[in-house]
Amino acid sequence: MSNLERDPHEQSCSAHPALEPVVELLEPRKVWLGRTQQVRRLLPHKERRMVGAWCFVDHYGPDDIRDQPGMWVPPHPHSSLQTVSWLFEGEVLHRDSVGNEALVRPGELNIMTAGPGIAHAEESHDQRAHPIVHGAQLWVALPEDARNAVAPRFDQYDGLPALELDGVRGTVMVGEVGGVGSPAASYTPLVGADLTVDGTATVPLTGEYEYAVLVVDGPVTVEQQRAAGGEMAYLGCGRDSFRFTGPGRLLLLGGEPFAEEIVMWWNFIGRSHDEIVALRNEWNAGPDGGSTERFGVVHGFTGGPLRAPDLPNTHLKPRGRTR
Ligand code: MN
């Protein structure tokens, strides 16, 4: 998915780790993706820019798209991040510039690693057979030592390990929960899991990580905090477990607090204003006569690519992980 905001403001985070357990309720803001789809954006949030290396969280649906355009995101670039596509319902067709065409389905993990640059397109697939779409689009920031060193790639994982704990069942997408580990590669210590609970459950955590939960189906109670479907509760660091009461479903996101300052603008992550300017200009120069060396070309999509919007008049500053 793409950040399609017409005037994407600079995303910033400041390095002030809340190295203690807290509970902060983060409400979503509604954002249009083009003209066809409205999503709820949880990260970056004005109070909280990142959770571990998770730096972007959109939650969408459940939407009935039988007579709607559904998801339609033309080719657009990414840099220095991984996209994680996770569906609860529906089916999405992914195409990228390293030649992958893949169906994104519920319960299967799809990770696209941009490295220095990649492009992709996403659209709803077979809306008659899959009239309801419900999912999350997540980005993971790549650390300095990996962001230009890893080659652009796309990985699909089905048969992810199931988690069965006392009162909770789910799927570990990335990292490890309760001794159950995902095969997916991450470049910083990270965790992501899709958890369902009927009554009350205690989920083991790693004390060095910070965590948040996105409530997919609710309301639920997370550490005494009531949270409705679509809301997020940030839990801070230093917990060896958290307690939640359903019935409900949530995405658990966590990781080692991200130590680096980043610049996040439109669909790019960089480390400086000048780097973002160069990425933008390089993308907007292609593919008609311009350079396609960094981002490549997405084949098979009907329609042209998205152009990066104008840069703001201000100088983009690298920021840390909180406000
Ligand atoms: Mn995208």
Side-chain angles (χ1 to χ4, degrees):
M1 191 169 293
S2 166
N3 181 352
L4 295 176
E5 286 178 272
R6 286 234 174 79
D7 180 23
H9 52 271
E10 181 188 357
Q11 313 294 2
S12 61
C13 328
S14 95
H16 183 72
L19 286 168
E20 55 179 6
V22 295
V23 182
E24 294 171 6
L25 189 68
L26 305 180
E27 292 181 356
R29 65 191 169 99
K30 289 183 177 168
V31 176
W32 281 100
L33 290 187
R35 286 183 293 266
T36 63
Q37 193 187 14
Q38 199 176 40
V39 304
R40 296 178 296 279
R41 185 153 300 160
L42 283 311
L43 288 182
H45 195 278
K46 63 183 192 310
E47 307 295 339
R48 180 67 50 193
R49 317 306 296 188
M50 299 177 78
V51 177
W54 300 102
C55 60
F56 181 93
V57 175
D58 272 357
H59 179 209
Y60 56 92
D63 293 327
D64 189 332
I65 56 166
R66 231 169 308 221
D67 303 311
Q68 303 291 325
M71 184 187 291
W72 192 81
V73 185
H76 62 277
H78 289 293
S79 66
S80 298
L81 60 89
Q82 294 178 293
T83 64
V84 175
S85 303
W86 188 254
L87 279 181
F88 308 108
E89 263 188 282
E91 205 164 81
V92 169
L93 179 63
H94 159 100
R95 292 187 181 93
D96 65 44
S97 57
V98 287
N100 297 289
E101 185 171 308
L103 282 176
V104 179
R105 298 189 192 90
E108 297 180 358
L109 180 67
N110 292 270
I111 300 192
M112 187 178 76
T113 303
I118 198 169
H120 72 151
E122 296 151 295
E123 56 191 310
S124 307
H125 182 254
D126 197 352
Q127 289 165 225
R128 193 170 304 182
H130 305 281
I132 307 295
V133 289
H134 185 195
Q137 181 67 30
L138 314 164
W139 297 355
V140 177
L142 290 173
E144 182 62 28
D145 62 1
R147 66 192 193 99
N148 290 313
V150 298
R153 56 181 291 143
F154 178 79
D155 294 289
Q156 190 168 54
Y157 300 90
D158 57 8
L160 286 169
L163 180 70
E164 289 274 359
L165 297 168
D166 198 18
V168 61
R169 61 188 184 280
T171 305
V172 181
M173 300 151 59
V174 187
E176 181 261 313
V177 180
V180 176
S182 163
S186 67
Y187 295 88
T188 52
L190 196 71
V191 68
D194 180 350
L195 305 176
T196 297
V197 67
D198 297 321
T200 292
T202 300
V203 179
L205 301 178
T206 300
E208 295 74 37
Y209 285 12
E210 60 178 338
Y211 288 92
V213 294
L214 166 64
V215 182
V216 175
D217 288 321
V220 301
T221 302
V222 181
E223 291 294 315
Q224 280 100 51
Q225 173 69 52
R226 188 92 162 154
E231 294 180 333
M232 182 179 259
Y234 176 76
L235 301 175
C237 296
R239 294 179 188 273
D240 56 16
S241 68
F242 82 100
R243 206 169 154 76
F244 85 101
T245 303
R249 184 175 187 177
L250 50 81
L251 278 190
L252 174 68
L253 302 173
E256 199 172 271
F258 198 77
E260 296 172 44
E261 297 196 328
I262 63 175
V263 183
M264 192 167 151
W265 180 82
W266 195 50
N267 293 301
F268 302 124
I269 290 180
R271 294 297 186 271
S272 69
H273 177 87
D274 291 349
E275 183 185 355
I276 296 291
V277 171
L279 289 165
R280 176 191 177 276
N281 292 344
E282 206 172 331
W283 171 253
N284 278 2
D288 307 314
S291 167
T292 57
E293 199 177 324
R294 177 184 292 272
F295 299 108
V297 177
V298 179
H299 294 288
F301 185 85
T302 306
L306 289 176
R307 295 301 178 191
D310 291 338
L311 282 155
N313 291 323
T314 52
H315 199 81
L316 303 173
K317 290 188 198 72
R319 305 291 174 118
R321 40 183 285 282
T322 59
R323 189 173 180 188

